[in-house]
Amino acid sequence: MGENKEKEITEEVKEKENMKQENGELQTLKLELEETTDRYKRILAEFENFKKRSNKERELLYNSILSDIVEIFLPILDNLENAAKVETKDEEYKKGVELVLKQFKDTLASKGVEEIKGVGETFDPELHEAVGSVQDDTKGEKEIVQEYRKGYKLGTKVIRHSMVVVAN
């Protein structure tokens, strides 16, 4: 019986050592899993930030290119507006010019291009370029009384400042 007792005790000790070893391995695996999970979360967050940054940069680049292209076409728009204002005997011709002008303006508007408001508005150096001033007591301070050239903006970016005359 003494030998059996010794064997049982030896087996119990071995079993406990195996359990300790397995618990140690389990703890090691848990730590590795936590580290891997943490690293995964960090990489995922970095990737999400990269996507947001890339989208923002792409949008800024698109708006920059669009505003450069629109700026090139603005003199053509000015000429179309001037052509629409000219009196002519041929009403069909005038109607054609007005339709082309409307189509041009609608196309610009569909891309987010807006006219900067002028006459009657308060002068804003961010939007307007003052080319003259007049004294007029009937007008408010820094009120725009005349517009020489229309200004345009894309979102918050000014493509071309309005050339205006300011009162007082």
Side-chain angles (χ1 to χ4, degrees), residues 120-132:
E121 297 291 316
T122 303
F123 176 76
D124 180 358
E126 298 287 324
L127 303 173
H128 308 107
E129 179 182 343
V131 294

Side-chain angles (χ1 to χ4, degrees), residues 66-106:
L66 181 60
S67 66
D68 288 347
I69 291 170
V70 168
E71 188 176 15
I72 292 169
F73 286 110
L74 290 180
I76 298 167
L77 179 60
D78 293 339
N79 289 335
L80 277 172
E81 287 176 337
N82 290 336
K85 290 177 188 173
V86 172
E87 292 298 323
T88 180
K89 291 179 182 175
D90 188 351
E91 287 301 316
E92 293 301 314
Y93 175 77
K94 183 172 181 152
K95 193 183 291 184
V97 170
E98 288 171 349
L99 286 172
V100 171
L101 176 61
K102 183 184 179 324
Q103 183 182 21
F104 201 150
K105 284 184 174 184
D106 289 347

Side-chain angles (χ1 to χ4, degrees), residues 45-66:
E46 285 178 24
F47 181 67
E48 290 297 322
N49 289 337
F50 169 75
K51 284 189 341 185
K52 289 175 186 174
R53 194 172 50 250
S54 294
N55 286 340
K56 192 173 189 178
E57 288 173 0
R58 184 176 39 245
E59 187 176 315
L60 287 172
L61 181 62
Y62 173 79
N63 285 339
S64 177
I65 291 170
L66 181 60

Side-chain angles (χ1 to χ4, degrees), residues 2-167:
E3 255 180 57
N4 283 341
K5 226 17 167 166
E6 246 178 62
K7 279 185 180 179
E8 283 178 25
I9 293 174
T10 307
E11 286 178 21
E12 283 180 28
V13 169
K14 286 182 181 178
E15 208 174 289
K16 285 182 182 178
E17 285 177 6
N18 284 340
M19 287 178 79
K20 284 182 183 177
Q21 189 176 7
E22 286 176 2
N23 281 342
E25 288 175 5
L26 185 60
Q27 291 298 330
T28 303
L29 288 174
K30 282 183 179 177
L31 285 174
E32 286 179 15
L33 177 62
E34 287 174 6
E35 288 174 6
T36 303
T37 302
D38 184 54
R39 195 171 39 207
Y40 166 75
K41 288 177 180 177
R42 290 176 189 271
I43 290 172
L44 184 62
E46 285 178 24
F47 181 67
E48 290 297 322
N49 289 337
F50 169 75
K51 284 189 341 185
K52 289 175 186 174
R53 194 172 50 250
S54 294
N55 286 340
K56 192 173 189 178
E57 288 173 0
R58 184 176 39 245
E59 187 176 315
L60 287 172
L61 181 62
Y62 173 79
N63 285 339
S64 177
I65 291 170
L66 181 60
S67 66
D68 288 347
I69 291 170
V70 168
E71 188 176 15
I72 292 169
F73 286 110
L74 290 180
I76 298 167
L77 179 60
D78 293 339
N79 289 335
L80 277 172
E81 287 176 337
N82 290 336
K85 290 177 188 173
V86 172
E87 292 298 323
T88 180
K89 291 179 182 175
D90 188 351
E91 287 301 316
E92 293 301 314
Y93 175 77
K94 183 172 181 152
K95 193 183 291 184
V97 170
E98 288 171 349
L99 286 172
V100 171
L101 176 61
K102 183 184 179 324
Q103 183 182 21
F104 201 150
K105 284 184 174 184
D106 289 347
T107 301
L108 292 177
S110 73
K111 295 300 177 187
V113 178
E114 303 173 25
E115 283 185 13
I116 296 173
K117 295 180 181 174
V119 177
E121 297 291 316
T122 303
F123 176 76
D124 180 358
E126 298 287 324
L127 303 173
H128 308 107
E129 179 182 343
V131 294
S133 65
V134 295
Q135 289 296 325
D136 188 345
D137 295 334
T138 63
K139 302 293 180 184
E141 189 174 330
K142 294 185 180 179
E143 183 177 333
I144 298 172
V145 292
Q146 189 176 1
E147 184 175 54
Y148 284 124
R149 183 184 72 189
K150 287 185 180 180
Y152 295 88
K153 63 182 181 172
L154 177 64
T156 58
K157 182 182 180 189
V158 175
I159 299 172
R160 180 175 80 180
H161 291 81
S162 296
M163 292 177 73
V164 297
V165 175
V166 182

